[in-house]
Amino acid sequence: MRGKEVKRFTLYGEDGRTIGPEFVHIERIADRSSLHDWTIAPHSHPGMAQVLMIETGTVDVASDGSARKIAAPACMIVPSGCVHAFRFAVAAEGWVLSMAIALLHDPRIAGLLEGLGLDGGGLRVIPLETEDRQRARLSWLLADMADRLEQGLRATPALIAQLGLVLATLGETLAASLPQDAGKDRRAVLVGRYRGMIEAQYRDHWPIERYAYALGVTSSTLTRACRAVVDKSPGDLLHDRLALEAMRFLAFTGMGMAQIAHRLGFEDPAYFARFFKNRTGETASAFRAQRAWEGLER
C-alpha cells in the first residue's frame, strides 16, 4: 500500500457507484469476505455508514491506527469516512448493514441516532451477551430486513421502519453498556452538535471561539458542556479528531509526512510532527512502523 491512497468504495470492491439518498443494503459477512480470502483490505465508505453484527467466530479489526481481535457476539459501528480493515475467521457468521448517511437524517428515524456516531468519528465496538434478548432481537431484525430487501422492498415506509427498529435496538444496547450517569441532557446535545461541526471543519483549524459562535453559545458554555459530558476541553476534542485522521493516513497509506500535514491543514510539516508527538506520545514514523496494515499478524 506504500504510496497509495486509501481505497474508497460504496460497498467493498465496487467502485464508481453513486449512493442514493435512501440506499440500504444488507448481506451476510461471508457473501463478500469469502470472495477475498476473508480479508477486507483498508478502505472507507464516503457518504455511507455500516453496522456489522458478528454472530459466530472472530475478526481482527484495524481502524484508525490500532488493531484488536473481536469475538462474537458483538456489533461494530463503522461511521462514514472511517478507514477500516477486517480479517475474519474462516466461516465467521453475521451481518453487514450499509446505509446512506442522507437516509439517517430522515425524520422518521433521525431521533433514534443520538449517541451511535454513524456520521463521523471512529469505529465503535458494542459487546453483546450470548443469551441477551437484545442480541436475539437484533439478529432477528437484521435477518428480517434481509428478507424484505430480497423481496424488493427498497425505500418503502416498512423498510424505513425496520431500519428504525434496528437502530433503536442498537442504541438501547449501547446505552445499557454505558455508565448510569451518562444520561442525555442539553449539554450532551451541544457536545454532539460540536462533534458534528468538528467533523466538517477540523481541517480548517477554526479557533474554539468560532465553533462556539457557530453553535450559538459562548466559549465558556461549550467548555463546561464538554467537561461535563466527556471530561475534555473543546480543544482536546478538536485535536483528538486531527490526530485520529493523522493516524489513519499513517497506518493505511504511504503518504509522506508533508503530504499528510498538507491534507490536515498544517502549513508547516515540522509543526505537524510536533503536534502528533504531543498528542500520541510517539513520533509519526514510529507510529507508522508499528501499526501499518501490512504489519498485522495473520
Side-chain angles (χ1 to χ4, degrees):
M1 285 199 55
R2 298 295 183 214
K4 296 181 179 179
E5 296 269 3
V6 172
K7 290 288 187 181
R8 290 172 170 80
F9 298 119
T10 47
L11 298 175
Y12 183 76
E14 299 181 9
D15 285 313
R17 292 181 54 191
T18 300
I19 299 176
E22 293 193 337
F23 173 83
V24 181
H25 178 82
I26 189 168
E27 63 186 18
R28 282 284 185 182
I29 286 174
D31 292 347
R32 199 168 299 262
S33 60
S34 62
L35 301 177
H36 300 276
D37 195 27
W38 298 90
T39 299
I40 304 300
H43 67 288
S44 65
H45 307 282
M48 187 179 80
Q50 291 184 317
V51 172
L52 285 79
M53 183 175 186
I54 315 301
E55 295 184 310
T56 64
T58 61
V59 56
D60 292 310
V61 180
S63 178
D64 303 329
S66 64
R68 52 181 162 167
K69 185 182 291 290
I70 306 300
C75 280
M76 288 184 286
I77 296 174
V78 185
S80 172
C82 173
V83 180
H84 56 286
F86 302 128
R87 187 172 290 127
F88 294 98
V90 174
E93 294 185 359
W95 297 99
V96 183
L97 170 63
S98 306
M99 67 209 88
I101 289 299
L103 179 60
L104 301 181
H105 299 294
D106 187 301
R108 291 169 288 184
I109 60 175
L112 304 171
L113 305 179
E114 189 173 342
L116 287 181
L118 284 163
D119 57 356
L123 183 147
R124 303 178 71 175
V125 177
I126 305 175
L128 303 173
E129 298 294 333
T130 303
E131 303 300 326
D132 185 65
R133 288 185 177 181
Q134 292 288 74
R135 183 209 59 78
R137 184 186 186 206
L138 191 58
S139 181
W140 182 89
L141 286 168
L142 291 169
D144 188 60
M145 177 176 283
D147 183 60
R148 290 173 181 268
L149 284 169
E150 190 174 341
Q151 296 176 42
L153 302 179
R154 300 179 182 275
T156 64
L159 182 63
I160 300 301
Q162 187 83 351
L163 178 61
L165 286 172
V166 170
L167 297 176
T169 302
L170 194 62
E172 290 168 3
T173 305
L174 176 61
S177 69
L178 296 175
Q180 292 300 308
D181 60 354
K184 300 174 184 176
D185 59 16
R186 284 180 291 182
R187 292 173 300 178
V189 172
L190 175 59
V191 173
R193 291 174 56 213
Y194 175 54
R195 285 184 182 276
M197 193 168 289
I198 287 176
E199 198 63 33
Q201 305 294 340
Y202 66 90
R203 292 181 179 88
D204 296 329
H205 294 256
W206 281 9
I208 299 304
E209 292 78 11
R210 184 169 179 181
Y211 280 103
Y213 179 81
L215 290 165
V217 298
T218 64
S219 297
S220 59
T221 296
L222 180 59
T223 298
R224 286 194 297 270
C226 290
R227 290 290 187 191
V229 175
V230 295
D231 196 25
K232 290 186 177 184
S233 71
D236 282 333
L237 289 179
L238 176 58
H239 291 157
D240 284 351
R241 183 63 185 91
L242 271 167
L244 173 62
E245 196 69 14
M247 289 188 283
R248 289 173 174 172
F249 280 124
L250 289 166
F252 297 121
T253 80
M255 289 183 187
M257 299 305 163
Q259 288 176 285
I260 295 174
H262 176 72
R263 287 291 187 93
L264 297 179
F266 290 89
E267 295 182 2
D268 182 1
Y271 180 74
F272 164 72
R274 292 193 297 272
F275 165 82
F276 187 86
K277 186 173 183 180
N278 288 337
R279 296 306 298 179
T280 67
E282 57 187 320
T283 65
S285 57
F287 181 92
R288 168 171 275 168
Q290 295 174 16
R291 294 174 176 82
W293 165 251
E294 294 91 335
L296 287 177
E297 296 182 359
R298 285 189 176 273

Short mmCIF file of all heavy atoms in Angstrom, two decimals, residues 7 26 42 56 64 71 79-80 85-86 98 112 117 119 127 152 161 166 172 181 185 210 213 234 249 276 293:
data_model
loop_
_atom_site.label_atom_id
_atom_site.label_comp_id
_atom_site.label_asym_id
_atom_site.label_seq_id
_atom_site.Cartn_x
_atom_site.Cartn_y
_atom_site.Cartn_z
N LYS A 7 -8.39 3.15 -0.44
CA LYS A 7 -9.48 2.90 -1.37
C LYS A 7 -10.79 3.40 -0.79
O LYS A 7 -11.06 3.28 0.41
CB LYS A 7 -9.60 1.40 -1.66
CG LYS A 7 -8.46 0.82 -2.49
CD LYS A 7 -8.55 1.29 -3.92
CE LYS A 7 -7.52 0.60 -4.79
NZ LYS A 7 -7.59 1.05 -6.19
N ILE A 26 -28.01 -5.01 2.83
CA ILE A 26 -27.62 -5.93 3.90
C ILE A 26 -27.19 -7.24 3.27
O ILE A 26 -27.77 -7.70 2.28
CB ILE A 26 -28.77 -6.14 4.92
CG1 ILE A 26 -28.25 -6.93 6.12
CG2 ILE A 26 -29.98 -6.79 4.30
CD1 ILE A 26 -29.21 -6.94 7.31
N PRO A 42 -7.74 -2.28 3.84
CA PRO A 42 -8.11 -0.92 4.30
C PRO A 42 -8.88 -0.13 3.25
O PRO A 42 -8.48 -0.03 2.10
CB PRO A 42 -6.75 -0.27 4.59
CG PRO A 42 -5.86 -1.42 4.91
CD PRO A 42 -6.30 -2.54 4.03
N THR A 56 -20.95 -15.42 15.03
CA THR A 56 -20.04 -16.51 15.40
C THR A 56 -18.66 -16.19 14.85
O THR A 56 -18.52 -15.48 13.86
CB THR A 56 -20.50 -17.87 14.84
OG1 THR A 56 -20.45 -17.85 13.41
CG2 THR A 56 -21.90 -18.22 15.30
N ASP A 64 -8.06 3.27 12.34
CA ASP A 64 -7.50 4.48 12.94
C ASP A 64 -6.19 4.21 13.65
O ASP A 64 -5.92 4.74 14.72
CB ASP A 64 -8.50 5.11 13.89
CG ASP A 64 -9.81 5.43 13.20
OD1 ASP A 64 -9.77 5.73 11.99
OD2 ASP A 64 -10.87 5.39 13.85
N ALA A 71 -14.37 -10.90 19.39
CA ALA A 71 -15.02 -12.21 19.40
C ALA A 71 -16.53 -12.05 19.45
O ALA A 71 -17.05 -11.12 20.08
CB ALA A 71 -14.54 -13.03 20.61
N PRO A 79 -18.54 4.43 11.06
CA PRO A 79 -19.08 5.69 10.55
C PRO A 79 -18.62 5.99 9.12
O PRO A 79 -17.64 5.41 8.63
CB PRO A 79 -18.52 6.74 11.52
CG PRO A 79 -18.06 5.97 12.71
CD PRO A 79 -17.64 4.64 12.18
N SER A 80 -19.32 6.88 8.49
CA SER A 80 -18.93 7.33 7.16
C SER A 80 -17.52 7.90 7.19
O SER A 80 -17.17 8.67 8.08
CB SER A 80 -19.91 8.41 6.68
OG SER A 80 -19.46 9.00 5.48
N ALA A 85 -10.29 -2.04 8.25
CA ALA A 85 -9.91 -3.27 7.57
C ALA A 85 -10.27 -4.43 8.49
O ALA A 85 -10.18 -4.31 9.72
CB ALA A 85 -8.42 -3.27 7.26
N PHE A 86 -10.67 -5.54 7.89
CA PHE A 86 -11.08 -6.71 8.67
C PHE A 86 -10.36 -7.96 8.18
O PHE A 86 -10.08 -8.09 7.00
CB PHE A 86 -12.59 -6.95 8.54
CG PHE A 86 -13.46 -5.80 8.96
CD1 PHE A 86 -14.44 -5.32 8.11
CD2 PHE A 86 -13.30 -5.19 10.20
CE1 PHE A 86 -15.26 -4.26 8.49
CE2 PHE A 86 -14.10 -4.12 10.58
CZ PHE A 86 -15.09 -3.66 9.72
N SER A 98 -25.47 -1.72 5.47
CA SER A 98 -24.93 -0.47 4.93
C SER A 98 -26.07 0.48 4.63
O SER A 98 -27.12 0.06 4.14
CB SER A 98 -24.13 -0.75 3.64
OG SER A 98 -23.14 -1.73 3.85
N LEU A 112 -33.52 8.48 16.51
CA LEU A 112 -33.02 7.23 17.10
C LEU A 112 -31.50 7.14 17.06
O LEU A 112 -30.94 6.16 17.55
CB LEU A 112 -33.61 6.03 16.34
CG LEU A 112 -35.14 5.97 16.26
CD1 LEU A 112 -35.57 4.87 15.31
CD2 LEU A 112 -35.74 5.76 17.63
N GLY A 117 -23.11 7.66 16.63
CA GLY A 117 -21.92 8.10 15.94
C GLY A 117 -21.77 7.53 14.55
O GLY A 117 -20.66 7.22 14.11
N ASP A 119 -22.33 9.08 11.65
CA ASP A 119 -21.98 10.03 10.60
C ASP A 119 -20.61 10.65 10.76
O ASP A 119 -20.28 11.63 10.13
CB ASP A 119 -23.03 11.14 10.49
CG ASP A 119 -23.23 11.88 11.80
OD1 ASP A 119 -22.61 11.49 12.81
OD2 ASP A 119 -24.00 12.84 11.82
N PRO A 127 -20.03 -4.84 22.68
CA PRO A 127 -20.09 -6.27 23.02
C PRO A 127 -21.52 -6.68 23.34
O PRO A 127 -22.30 -5.90 23.89
CB PRO A 127 -19.18 -6.38 24.25
CG PRO A 127 -19.14 -5.00 24.82
CD PRO A 127 -19.31 -4.05 23.69
N GLY A 152 -37.47 -7.03 -2.69
CA GLY A 152 -37.54 -5.79 -3.45
C GLY A 152 -38.18 -4.63 -2.72
O GLY A 152 -38.54 -3.63 -3.34
N ALA A 161 -39.09 1.79 8.61
CA ALA A 161 -39.49 1.44 9.97
C ALA A 161 -38.62 0.31 10.51
O ALA A 161 -38.22 0.32 11.69
CB ALA A 161 -40.96 1.03 9.99
N VAL A 166 -33.94 -1.47 14.03
CA VAL A 166 -32.57 -1.94 14.18
C VAL A 166 -31.74 -0.90 14.93
O VAL A 166 -31.02 -1.22 15.89
CB VAL A 166 -31.95 -2.24 12.79
CG1 VAL A 166 -30.44 -2.47 12.92
CG2 VAL A 166 -32.61 -3.44 12.16
N GLU A 172 -30.26 1.16 22.28
CA GLU A 172 -30.57 0.66 23.62
C GLU A 172 -29.45 -0.22 24.15
O GLU A 172 -29.09 -0.16 25.34
CB GLU A 172 -31.88 -0.13 23.58
CG GLU A 172 -33.12 0.74 23.34
CD GLU A 172 -34.34 -0.11 23.03
OE1 GLU A 172 -34.24 -1.35 23.06
OE2 GLU A 172 -35.41 0.47 22.74
N ASP A 181 -24.59 7.24 34.82
CA ASP A 181 -24.69 8.70 34.90
C ASP A 181 -24.45 9.37 33.55
O ASP A 181 -24.32 10.58 33.46
CB ASP A 181 -23.72 9.26 35.94
CG ASP A 181 -22.27 8.91 35.60
OD1 ASP A 181 -22.05 8.16 34.63
OD2 ASP A 181 -21.37 9.39 36.31
N ASP A 185 -28.73 15.05 28.15
CA ASP A 185 -29.26 16.34 28.56
C ASP A 185 -28.85 17.37 27.51
O ASP A 185 -28.26 17.03 26.49
CB ASP A 185 -28.80 16.72 29.97
CG ASP A 185 -27.28 16.80 30.08
OD1 ASP A 185 -26.61 16.85 29.03
OD2 ASP A 185 -26.77 16.82 31.21
N ARG A 210 -14.74 30.42 17.29
CA ARG A 210 -15.54 30.40 16.07
C ARG A 210 -16.55 29.25 16.12
O ARG A 210 -17.69 29.39 15.67
CB ARG A 210 -14.64 30.26 14.85
CG ARG A 210 -15.41 30.32 13.53
CD ARG A 210 -14.47 30.44 12.34
NE ARG A 210 -15.23 30.48 11.09
CZ ARG A 210 -14.67 30.56 9.89
NH1 ARG A 210 -13.35 30.63 9.76
NH2 ARG A 210 -15.42 30.58 8.81
N TYR A 213 -19.33 30.35 18.44
CA TYR A 213 -20.20 31.34 17.77
C TYR A 213 -21.15 30.64 16.80
O TYR A 213 -22.35 30.95 16.75
CB TYR A 213 -19.35 32.37 17.05
CG TYR A 213 -20.16 33.43 16.31
CD1 TYR A 213 -20.70 34.51 16.99
CD2 TYR A 213 -20.37 33.32 14.94
CE1 TYR A 213 -21.45 35.47 16.32
CE2 TYR A 213 -21.12 34.26 14.26
CZ TYR A 213 -21.65 35.35 14.95
OH TYR A 213 -22.40 36.28 14.28
N PRO A 234 -12.96 21.59 24.76
CA PRO A 234 -13.27 21.63 23.33
C PRO A 234 -12.02 21.49 22.46
O PRO A 234 -12.04 20.84 21.41
CB PRO A 234 -13.93 23.00 23.15
CG PRO A 234 -14.49 23.33 24.50
CD PRO A 234 -13.52 22.75 25.48
N PHE A 249 -4.05 8.15 8.11
CA PHE A 249 -3.15 8.32 6.98
C PHE A 249 -1.86 7.52 7.20
O PHE A 249 -1.33 6.88 6.29
CB PHE A 249 -2.81 9.80 6.78
CG PHE A 249 -3.86 10.58 6.06
CD1 PHE A 249 -4.41 11.72 6.63
CD2 PHE A 249 -4.31 10.21 4.81
CE1 PHE A 249 -5.38 12.47 5.98
CE2 PHE A 249 -5.27 10.94 4.13
CZ PHE A 249 -5.81 12.07 4.72
N PHE A 276 1.71 15.87 16.42
CA PHE A 276 1.41 14.44 16.51
C PHE A 276 2.10 13.81 17.72
O PHE A 276 1.48 13.04 18.46
CB PHE A 276 1.85 13.72 15.23
CG PHE A 276 1.41 12.29 15.18
CD1 PHE A 276 0.15 11.95 14.70
CD2 PHE A 276 2.24 11.28 15.62
CE1 PHE A 276 -0.27 10.62 14.67
CE2 PHE A 276 1.84 9.95 15.60
CZ PHE A 276 0.57 9.63 15.12
N TRP A 293 -0.91 -1.41 8.25
CA TRP A 293 -1.76 -2.58 7.98
C TRP A 293 -0.94 -3.80 7.60
O TRP A 293 -1.20 -4.92 8.01
CB TRP A 293 -2.75 -2.25 6.88
CG TRP A 293 -3.43 -3.42 6.27
CD1 TRP A 293 -3.25 -3.92 5.03
CD2 TRP A 293 -4.46 -4.23 6.87
NE1 TRP A 293 -4.07 -4.99 4.81
CE2 TRP A 293 -4.83 -5.20 5.92
CE3 TRP A 293 -5.07 -4.22 8.13
CZ2 TRP A 293 -5.80 -6.16 6.19
CZ3 TRP A 293 -6.03 -5.18 8.38
CH2 TRP A 293 -6.39 -6.13 7.43
#
